[in-house]
Amino acid sequence: MQLYNLKHPSQQVNFSQAVTLGLGKDRGLFFPSEIPVLKNMDELLAMDFVPRCKVVLGAWLADELGQEVVDKLVDKAFNFELPLVKVNDKLSSLELFHGPTLAFKDFGARFMAQCVSHLAGDNKLTILTATSGDTGAAVADAFYGLENVNVMVLFPKGKISELQEKMFTTLGDNIHTVAVESDFDACQAMVKQAFDDPEVRDGLHLNSANSINISRLLAQVCYYFEAVAQFYREHQQAPVVSVPSGNFGNLTAGLFAKAMGLPIKHFVAATNSNDTVPRYLQSGSWQANPTVATMSNAMDVSEPSNWPRVEAICQQLDWPLSLISGVKVDEATTSCSLKQLEAQGYLSEPHAAIAAQGLEQVMAEGDKGIFLATAHPAKFKDVVDRELARDLPLPPELEAVANKESLAVPLEADFEQLKAHMFKLLA
Ligand SMILES: *Cc1c(COP(=O)(O)O)cnc(C)c1O
C-alpha cells in the first residue's frame, strides 16, 4: 500500500511507515495513492463478518504485509458483535458499541494496536497519549497485554467521570496511567514535550497512536460493509447512512467503503452545535467557531482533523461534495430525538440520537437509512437518565471496573517529573 502526504505529495510512504509515523511532514495527513475496488459485491456481502474483513483489509494491505498477516491481525482485533437493529420501517441503527470499552473507538483502536505491535517486532515501543475520556479507554484496552508495547496515558485529575477514569486506570500490566494535577491542555502539552525531547522520544521509542492513524480508518471501513450486508437481507436498495461526526474519521471510513464499491446512496454528516462542516457544506466557506460543550461531548470538535481526507476522496473519485448532507442538531433537538427514539422502543444516547435526527431530516420519499450508534447508552448515563427520566443499570463491563481500584499515579503538570517517572517505569 502506498500513501502520500496531503500537504507534501512528494512525501510517499508505505502502510508500515504511515502507521509508525502517524503524521507526515508539517503535520500533513497520509492518504492512499489508490483505493482498491472490490468485485463480486453480492458474494462479499453474503460472507460472515470476520472472513469479509480479511478480504476488505487484504485489498489494501496484503501486497505489503501478506494475506496471512492480515488474517492474523483481523482475528485478534475483531471479536465482538455489531448488530443492525431496526427502529422502524425506514430507520435502522448499526450498534458499534459492543466492544470491550462500549464505544465504536474499540474498532479502530484494536486493529491499530495489533498493527503497531506486529510492526514493532522485537523492538519495545511506548505509546504516549493524553485523553479527556473515551479514547484513552479504547487505546489502553486495545494494547493491554501486548508484550512489546508499553502504554502511558495522561489524563486531567478529577476532570473526567470516575467511571470513565476506571475504564483505563484499573488495567495494570503494560498500561500505565498518570493523573495530572491540571487540565487536558496541560496533559497534551506534556505529551508534546515528550515527543520533542530526543532522550525520551528515541530512548523509549515513542509512538503516538492517535486518532488520525491510517490503520484506524481502514479498520472502520469494515463495519460499513457489515451494515450494508445486514441491511440487504431485508431491503433491496442502497441505504442513506448517517454518521455522528466529530473529527470525521468515521465518515472518512464510510467514504472509503463506498469508493471500494459498497452501495451507499448518500451520506449524512450529523454534528452537534460544533457545526463547522454543515456550515461549510452550505456556504463553501470554512469558518471554525470556538468549540462549545454539548451533551454529545465526543463530538465537541470545531476543527475536525480528518476533513482534508474527506475532500481528497471526493476529489480522487470525482464525487461532488453534495454526496454528503451536513446537518447540525442543537441540544434541544438532540433531546427530542432521544425521546422520539425511546417512544419507538429504542434506547439511545446523544451521539446516536444526533445521527438519527440527521437521517430523518435528509431522507427523501422511498429512502431507507442507517444511523451509526457509536456509544453504549450507559456510557452517557448522566445525560440519558436526566433526559429520559430513567435510572439505567450499568452493563457488566462497567459494573466490573466500577468496583476496582484506580492504579493511576498522581503527578504535577511538570515535564521533568513525567520524564523521570517514564524512565523509572519503562527504560
Ligand atoms: C469519537 C466519537 C464520535 C466522533 O467520531 P469521529 O470519527 O471523530 O467523527 C462520535 N461518537 C462517539 C461516541 C465518539 O466517541
Side-chain angles (χ1 to χ4, degrees):
M1 178 180 185
Q2 193 192 40
L3 303 103
Y4 66 95
N5 178 340
L6 283 175
K7 279 195 186 156
H8 295 279
S10 62
Q11 186 189 9
Q12 307 223 341
V13 295
N14 63 19
F15 175 74
S16 312
Q17 292 164 321
V19 168
T20 310
L21 291 170
L23 282 166
K25 216 169 97 186
D26 285 338
R27 304 188 61 76
L29 299 168
F30 290 120
F31 190 80
S33 307
E34 237 179 284
I35 300 177
V37 177
L38 293 172
K39 304 201 177 67
N40 304 328
M41 192 53 64
D42 289 343
E43 238 171 83
L44 192 67
L45 292 178
M47 293 173 82
D48 285 339
F49 178 62
V50 169
R52 187 192 315 109
C53 290
K54 293 173 180 172
V55 178
V56 170
L57 290 169
W60 297 90
L61 302 176
D63 65 341
E64 185 177 329
L65 303 180
Q67 186 65 45
E68 275 175 31
V69 169
V70 175
D71 291 354
K72 187 189 76 177
L73 299 174
V74 167
D75 280 327
K76 288 186 178 166
F78 298 152
N79 56 354
F80 46 89
E81 298 297 302
L82 54 169
L84 185 70
V85 177
K86 192 168 167 176
V87 175
N88 61 39
D89 280 343
K90 297 183 67 175
L91 234 56
S92 301
S93 165
L94 183 71
E95 295 190 344
L96 298 172
F97 52 74
H98 297 285
T101 75
L102 306 178
F104 88 109
K105 292 204 166 66
D106 284 326
F107 271 97
R110 288 181 65 83
F111 187 69
M112 174 177 67
Q114 292 301 330
C115 288
V116 166
S117 175
H118 170 76
L119 296 172
D122 293 332
N123 299 315
K124 195 139 188 151
L125 290 186
T126 303
I127 303 287
L128 177 67
T129 184
T131 187
S132 54
D134 274 359
T135 320
V139 167
D141 195 278
F143 282 99
Y144 177 58
L146 294 182
E147 280 185 2
N148 54 356
V149 186
N150 275 307
V151 176
M152 185 160 278
V153 186
L154 273 51
F155 66 98
K157 188 173 177 183
K159 300 252 168 34
I160 63 180
S161 81
E162 192 183 331
L163 203 56
Q164 247 181 348
E165 178 180 331
K166 286 199 168 173
M167 288 205 78
F168 61 95
T169 58
T170 57
L171 290 165
D173 192 15
N174 60 329
I175 310 299
H176 307 280
T177 52
V178 173
V180 178
E181 310 264 4
S182 186
D183 57 14
F184 176 61
D185 290 337
C187 297
Q188 265 192 319
M190 287 164 82
V191 168
K192 189 161 180 299
Q193 266 180 299
F195 276 90
D196 288 341
D197 183 321
E199 237 183 300
V200 180
R201 188 185 59 218
D202 304 334
L204 299 176
H205 302 281
L206 286 195
N207 182 299
S208 72
N210 58 16
S211 65
I212 47 72
N213 199 290
I214 191 73
S215 59
R216 286 192 172 196
L217 298 185
L218 295 189
Q220 290 179 250
V221 169
C222 293
Y223 56 66
Y224 284 90
F225 279 84
E226 179 64 15
V228 174
Q230 293 190 38
F231 183 84
Y232 265 32
R233 282 174 212 149
E234 189 157 344
H235 308 290
Q236 275 66 51
Q237 64 188 86
V240 177
V241 176
S242 181
V243 187
S245 296
N247 263 322
F248 284 78
N250 204 349
L251 181 69
T252 303
L255 291 163
F256 278 143
K258 182 174 169 69
M260 293 179 82
L262 185 69
I264 292 176
K265 184 183 175 196
H266 189 80
F267 286 96
V268 182
T271 72
N272 59 28
S273 298
N274 297 288
D275 61 344
T276 310
V277 166
R279 284 186 289 109
Y280 170 72
L281 290 172
Q282 276 272 311
S283 70
S285 129
W286 187 269
Q287 300 282 342
N289 295 332
T291 308
V292 295
T294 71
M295 288 190 268
S296 50
N297 60 24
M299 310 194 319
D300 290 349
V301 179
S302 55
E303 284 278 12
S305 50
N306 274 299
W307 187 256
R309 283 177 168 147
V310 171
E311 299 236 8
I313 298 172
C314 291
Q315 232 164 35
Q316 198 175 89
L317 286 133
D318 233 344
W319 290 341
L321 270 182
S322 58
L323 170 68
I324 308 161
S325 296
V327 177
K328 165 201 168 169
V329 180
D330 64 21
E331 294 291 89
T333 315
T334 304
S335 174
C336 278
S337 177
L338 263 179
K339 288 171 185 147
Q340 275 170 9
L341 289 167
E342 189 196 31
Q344 298 174 80
Y346 190 70
L347 181 66
S348 192
E349 53 74 44
H351 305 78
I354 284 175
Q357 176 62 29
L359 204 48
E360 298 266 15
Q361 288 186 21
V362 168
M363 276 197 303
E365 186 76 26
D367 280 350
K368 294 194 190 290
I370 298 170
F371 62 92
L372 302 189
T374 44
H376 193 292
K379 276 207 104 165
F380 292 87
K381 177 175 162 57
D382 295 355
V383 177
V384 176
D385 281 354
R386 185 186 73 216
E387 297 297 324
L388 301 179
R390 281 185 171 239
D391 183 12
L392 291 188
L394 284 186
E397 292 89 337
L398 289 179
E399 190 74 65
V401 295
N403 298 319
K404 284 196 195 155
E405 205 56 41
S406 168
L407 303 169
V409 173
L411 280 186
E412 280 163 40
D414 171 45
F415 176 63
E416 291 306 322
Q417 283 191 27
L418 174 69
K419 187 169 167 178
H421 181 64
M422 289 183 79
F423 273 98
K424 193 178 87 194
L425 276 181
L426 308 174

